[in-house]
Amino acid sequence: MPTITISLSDLSRLVGVDLRDKFSEVAEYMKVEVNSITGDLAELEVTHDRPDYFSTEGIARSVKGILGVEVGLPKLTIEEDYGLLKIGNVPQRPIIRMALVEDVEIDEEAVRQLVQLQEKLHMTYGRDRAKFAIGLYDADKVKFPLSYVNMPIDEVKYEPMDVGRVVTGRELLTMVDKGVRYGKYALWNGMVPVLIDSNDVIHVVIPVLGSEYSRLTKGTRRVLIDVTGIDDAAVENALKVMAFAVAERSRSRVVKVLTPGSRSILEPRAIRVKVSDINGILGVDLSREQVVDLLLKARYGVEVNGGELIVQVPPYRFLVIGPSDVAEDVAVAYGYNKLPRVYPTSRSMGRLMPLTKFADMLANVLVTLGLQEVANYVLTSRSLMEAAGVEYYVDVLNPVSEKFNVVRSSIWPQLLNVISQNRHLLPGRIKIFEVGRVVRGEGVLREEPLLAIAISGPRVTLTDVLVILNTLIMKLGAKPTYRHTNAKPYGIEGRFVEILVNGNSVGIAFEVNPQVLINLGIDYPASVCEVNIRALWDSIHSIG
């Protein structure tokens, strides 16, 4: 979980209540964990699904609801001015959303918190600026209208933040740390994206580094926010969080949107929820009035419509997608410690299922054969599955990370990834396996327990995997046979077999296609097998 640091005196100032001695008590009604409080500073762990908690502003907004200082939807006054920004052709980062927040009161701690929020969003949702990048500027230093355009790299000259001198675009990308790190996302055909104002002042090279001239300072009173990137939803979600955070420090809470379509993304959306459903999910018996009160404290808007509640979701809560999410926030506001404890009605002892014992036995045999067991997550990345040539997997609707955006349908791609990551530490032959679950099926999905083995090293062939399979299955009292079958794109034709036990298909084994090895950065040949443990169990027990 992301870790943030906040100032309790800054939080108290935003809330209007002295929280320096009682924040730990208040935090029990939020999805945060207090790691430590040292003097005025509190270190918190926050969950990925609450990006609004990545800075003091979002924490303050929720605390106001918990204490009843300010409940219901946070209010913004949204204005429009589409004449302040001209958008050119920037194919490498074509999407831009921009907003201007008026009447902001900024001090050094406020600057630190907004930069913390900016960077946490970059790391957790922006794929370290590959997906989107956020800029913050002192709007009084900008001569509008601004232009978002591509500029030849050799024509770029400005003073980036904390560099201390004017640099050229080429110097920025080759000599400045952030330029070296993020320049690959900026450069396209000798051009880089910039925001340049009517006085020809460059305020940022996107997504690299903003200008020293227009950086946020203690005296800033109008904050300009830009979010640029390659994914519409990600860019819009980042703008929601940033705009509401900056507005939390605004006296008037006036936000002016500068890009068409931005007004609607700063407005709430509705979810219909029944009180009975919330009670059913939580196992409580709250009245409609109690649920409404808790939702208002959780900073939702609520309208009563007969037996339903029309819940207005604040824009920065973009991960709230259904009644279960709303019920969770009711539980948090109610207090997890108040939820009823239900004890099991049965006193029977738990025990391992026969199939689980069988899987454990398979793992023990493979360890005695010299293989190393590894454990991967059931969630993995689409990019890994595509690099391995696997066409079927299950997408996650709202992934919190690009590393875990699909549910795996096979284990062997992750085993090859483990080999790739450890090839320099373990020279020579690597032999690993995993017992785990995957999700498969058409229409109706089902979990399946699999055993996967991967071997890589000089002169490794399909035979290396089949020798291990022979030994493993013969220890179970059966004898495997193998049948050549047409190779999938990730295997080599003529080196791809179906594994049969007692005439039943239980899995596949193959030599990995060299292109897959290149994609994953593996230097030596590799062979893998994947066995359905349930099918193997059924086949073993059908013998005789």
Side-chain angles (χ1 to χ4, degrees):
M1 295 193 296
T3 300
I4 68 164
T5 303
I6 67 171
S7 161
L8 293 180
S9 58
D10 182 45
L11 177 65
S12 300
R13 185 167 56 252
L14 287 173
V15 176
V17 176
D18 190 347
L19 296 163
R20 287 173 291 183
D21 295 327
K22 57 182 179 182
F23 177 68
S24 294
E25 300 172 19
V26 175
E28 293 181 6
Y29 295 89
M30 305 171 64
K31 288 183 70 174
V32 302
E33 183 174 330
V34 180
N35 284 347
S36 65
I37 296 179
T38 307
D40 186 50
L41 297 180
E43 182 182 277
L44 313 177
E45 282 192 31
V46 299
T47 57
H48 284 85
D49 66 332
R50 291 305 302 261
D52 53 310
Y53 282 0
F54 290 174
S55 67
T56 304
E57 295 81 13
I59 300 288
R61 190 186 303 120
S62 281
V63 171
K64 287 179 184 178
I66 293 166
L67 299 179
V69 174
E70 181 181 297
V71 299
L73 281 173
K75 297 296 191 293
L76 291 185
T77 299
I78 305 174
E79 299 177 355
E80 300 168 317
D81 192 336
Y82 300 145
L84 299 184
L85 177 67
K86 299 177 180 179
I87 303 173
N89 181 31
V90 185
Q92 69 270 46
R93 297 186 81 81
I95 302 164
I96 182 169
R97 298 286 183 269
M98 186 171 281
L100 176 62
V101 185
E102 306 277 2
D103 302 319
V104 178
E105 296 181 341
I106 292 268
D107 58 13
E108 292 180 0
E109 179 60 21
V111 172
R112 193 181 74 80
Q113 287 299 316
L114 292 174
V115 171
Q116 176 178 249
L117 174 60
Q118 176 189 31
E119 290 307 314
K120 293 295 182 183
L121 288 172
H122 283 161
M123 295 305 298
T124 53
Y125 289 93
R127 284 194 341 206
D128 198 17
R129 307 196 192 187
K131 200 170 187 178
F132 66 74
I134 302 165
L136 298 168
Y137 317 90
D138 185 335
D140 289 328
K141 300 291 183 67
V142 176
K143 177 64 175 177
F144 292 99
L146 271 169
S147 295
Y148 177 53
V149 295
N150 258 335
M151 178 177 285
I153 188 171
D154 293 319
E155 294 180 14
V156 172
K157 288 185 181 179
Y158 80 123
E159 183 181 345
M161 287 189 292
D162 301 320
V163 173
R165 65 184 181 88
V166 173
V167 301
T168 66
R170 199 168 297 278
E171 287 176 317
L172 175 69
L173 300 194
T174 57
M175 299 175 61
V176 178
D177 288 343
K178 288 190 175 179
V180 173
R181 185 171 180 177
Y182 302 118
K184 59 188 175 183
Y185 305 134
L187 192 59
W188 179 81
N189 286 350
M191 315 275 280
V192 292
V194 300
L195 277 177
I196 185 168
D197 71 13
S198 298
N199 286 337
D200 292 331
V201 175
I202 295 174
H203 292 276
V204 63
V205 172
I206 292 174
V208 181
L209 200 51
S211 166
E212 184 70 34
Y213 174 68
S214 53
R215 75 183 300 164
L216 297 189
T217 65
K218 183 177 179 180
T220 299
R221 291 295 174 262
R222 300 166 69 225
V223 176
L224 182 66
I225 308 165
D226 82 75
V227 188
T228 58
I230 60 174
D231 183 285
D232 275 300
V235 167
E236 292 177 357
N237 290 336
L239 182 67
K240 296 172 188 177
V241 176
M242 289 302 310
F244 273 86
V246 177
E248 201 65 35
R249 296 188 182 273
S250 167
R251 288 170 296 182
S252 65
R253 297 197 180 185
V254 173
V255 177
K256 185 176 293 184
V257 294
L258 313 186
T259 43
S262 298
R263 182 186 185 95
S264 61
I265 68 175
L266 295 179
E267 295 174 339
R269 55 194 168 82
I271 294 179
R272 293 180 177 271
V273 183
K274 293 182 179 178
V275 173
S276 58
D277 290 340
I278 291 176
N279 283 327
I281 291 170
L282 302 183
V284 295
D285 187 21
L286 299 174
S287 67
R288 183 176 66 186
E289 291 71 22
Q290 286 176 301
V291 172
V292 170
D293 181 63
L294 292 169
L295 287 171
L296 291 173
K297 286 184 175 181
R299 306 311 306 266
Y300 289 101
V302 187
E303 295 178 19
V304 178
N305 182 25
E308 279 189 328
L309 301 178
I310 302 175
V311 178
Q312 299 290 330
V313 183
Y316 55 85
R317 297 296 310 279
F318 56 86
L319 291 174
V320 174
I321 58 176
S324 295
D325 300 309
V326 175
E328 181 186 19
D329 281 333
V330 170
V332 173
Y334 181 67
Y336 281 138
N337 291 333
K338 297 179 183 177
L339 293 176
R341 290 165 172 77
V342 179
Y343 293 95
T345 56
S346 171
R347 294 178 179 269
S348 61
M349 297 292 292
R351 61 184 183 274
L352 294 177
M353 296 176 63
L355 193 63
T356 303
K357 290 183 179 180
F358 181 63
D360 289 344
M361 182 188 66
L362 296 177
N364 290 334
V365 173
L366 290 174
V367 169
T368 64
L369 294 176
L371 279 77
Q372 172 129 11
E373 185 172 11
V374 301
N376 289 292
Y377 294 114
V378 174
L379 296 181
T380 186
S381 68
R382 183 182 299 106
S383 59
L384 173 60
M385 301 300 275
E386 290 175 349
V390 176
E391 297 178 349
Y392 174 80
Y393 44 78
V394 179
D395 287 305
V396 177
L397 181 61
N398 269 312
V400 299
S401 168
E402 292 293 324
K403 293 182 179 179
F404 305 109
N405 56 11
V406 300
V407 185
R408 67 184 182 184
S409 58
S410 288
I411 297 175
W412 63 264
Q414 290 169 297
L415 294 187
L416 292 183
N417 192 46
V418 170
I419 289 173
S420 174
Q421 293 175 344
N422 292 276
R423 65 190 186 280
H424 301 305
L425 301 175
L426 298 170
R429 183 166 295 201
I430 301 176
K431 300 189 294 183
I432 58 176
F433 76 94
E434 179 176 352
V435 173
R437 291 186 172 272
V438 301
V439 171
R440 293 176 174 175
E442 295 182 5
V444 178
L445 300 177
R446 65 183 186 279
E447 276 192 335
E448 292 290 354
L450 295 189
L451 162 67
I453 299 171
I455 304 175
S456 179
R459 296 180 297 279
V460 164
T461 67
L462 177 61
T463 302
D464 293 280
V465 165
L466 298 187
V467 167
I468 292 174
L469 276 173
N470 278 341
T471 305
L472 175 66
I473 296 175
M474 289 177 71
K475 280 185 174 290
L476 302 175
K479 184 177 181 180
T481 57
Y482 306 101
R483 179 170 60 199
H484 281 285
T485 186
N486 292 333
K488 300 291 185 181
Y490 42 75
I492 298 176
E493 195 66 47
R495 298 283 181 167
F496 199 107
V497 299
E498 189 176 9
I499 306 164
L500 306 174
V501 174
N502 197 31
N504 299 315
S505 175
V506 299
I508 57 173
F510 56 91
E511 287 185 25
V512 180
N513 189 311
Q515 185 58 54
V516 172
L517 300 177
I518 293 171
N519 294 345
L520 298 178
I522 298 176
D523 304 320
Y524 294 117
S527 290
V528 304
C529 75
E530 205 158 65
V531 176
N532 187 307
I533 295 175
R534 193 187 310 276
L536 179 60
W537 165 270
D538 291 341
S539 297
I540 294 292
H541 287 79
S542 69
I543 297 175

